[in-house]
Amino acid sequence: MIEKKINKYFPYILIYMCYYTNLPIKLEELIMILFIIWCVLEKKVFGLKLNLKILGLIGSLGLVSLIQSYKNSYPINRVIEQIVIIGVMFMGYDLLFKKYGYRKLFRIYLRITYFICLLAIVQLIAYFFLKIDILRYPIGCNIRELPTLGSRIARVRSIAYEPGWFAQTLIPSVIYSFEVLIKSKRFQKKYIVIIIVFFMTMSTGALAVIPVYFLLTKLKGLKQILITTPIIVLVTYLTREVWLSRVEDTISSLKYLSKGLFYNINASSFAILSNLYVALNNNSLFFGVGLGNHPYSYFRNFINRKIGVYHFYGLNAMDAYSLLTRMISETGLFFSIVIILYITFNVNLKNNIKSLINIGAFCGILSFLIRGGLYTRFGTAFIIMLFFYTKKNSKNSRYTSRRYKVVKEVKNGLNNIS
């Protein structure tokens, strides 16, 4: 009985942690360690099958990182910490997907997403009428004001630390929700709720990838182009206040990237450009400065910019603001290009349920590359492994031998969230 309960609720806890980002300690990693221990006890040590590809990649990155950290005189313990965290999270999720299969985990992910989106709706209503953030004091979180546009319109974040992280973890469920509504041609409130909450986060990095979904799945004929293009244009126009000034500032300041001189730009643009400047000017561009060492590189290579208009100095120095920027900085161009090519070549464009989940995961990864910066948290590791287990020609799932047509399965939704 206890064994069944543990097996049932472990995936719920782990996926819930993807959203609950206000943890005072590394609780997510601790729970994953407990899950790995449970798998070892179930399978015994020699019965546990580890993914050699993931181990090889983490091992290669770790070895190169240790060498680069030593060469650049950065703390070795920072690299070791990152290797351990990355190893625990990715190997743990690999075991989770092997144990439950991507379809069951995606169903659980949708259920949790719907529940958390309902909390976001309540949060939004309470703030609109009472100007009170009812989710302001989650366990272990410092007081953090709910971001707003104007005096009453709030950017929802539900139980997450900020709207941006919340929106990015939502992306695979949003892509799936779009597909359910389009294929079923009927109102289904749970998917409407997920989409509405996603747009209410008003996150530029997350909103930017929605057109990619339409390009990959809908623009395959004249009819689809005529239907989809106006939708993309309309959404882009309606959300212009969220992203337009940031994009304009970033593009206009790109010409100063080589010198690291950025004048009178907004905080987001400064974070993007300053961290990119550091990544491209660390004297270790090919193999990077080592996992976890971007902050040290930032304060060493950007120290002369700490005066005048640079009152944003140090902004997002810990995570480089963008996962792509951090990868270039810490793993170098070599590993960054290899990983990006692998992801690009494994997008699954077949007309089945597996490909739809894969495209949603791909859009999630793309969003993290634009605005992310953390290798494992906020759903990054889960979404990357979701992509891996649904990739083109994947043989890693118990479901690969069966064919699932999107039209049939999506019509009523992959699961009953109720």
Side-chain angles (χ1 to χ4, degrees), residues 309-341:
V309 297
Y310 296 99
H311 52 279
F312 294 128
Y313 180 80
L315 187 63
N316 288 98
M318 292 301 296
D319 60 12
Y321 192 81
S322 153
L323 184 57
L324 179 59
T325 299
R326 185 172 180 183
M327 285 168 55
I328 293 172
S329 177
E330 296 185 354
T331 67
L333 285 176
F334 175 76
F335 282 109
S336 297
I337 291 172
V338 168
I339 292 169
I340 289 170
L341 287 176

Side-chain angles (χ1 to χ4, degrees), residues 150-209:
S151 60
R152 285 186 176 273
I153 302 176
R155 295 179 59 200
V156 297
R157 59 171 166 77
S158 191
I159 60 173
Y161 186 66
E162 62 177 52
W165 293 121
F166 179 40
Q168 287 174 299
T169 314
L170 280 172
I171 287 174
S173 67
V174 173
I175 300 301
Y176 183 78
S177 297
F178 272 127
E179 200 67 29
V180 168
L181 296 175
I182 291 169
K183 296 294 184 185
S184 66
K185 297 179 181 179
R186 61 190 178 90
F187 181 87
Q188 297 190 60
K189 69 174 184 178
K190 48 186 172 285
Y191 301 115
I192 295 288
V193 166
I194 291 172
I195 292 171
I196 289 174
V197 168
F198 173 75
F199 281 101
M200 285 305 299
T201 62
M202 303 179 196
S203 170
T204 306
L207 291 171
V209 303

Side-chain angles (χ1 to χ4, degrees), residues 227-246:
I227 294 172
T228 304
T229 303
I231 296 174
I232 295 175
V233 173
L234 178 62
V235 171
T236 303
Y237 175 77
L238 292 175
T239 59
R240 68 190 184 283
E241 292 185 7
V242 179
W243 58 266
L244 187 58
S245 62
R246 299 178 187 180

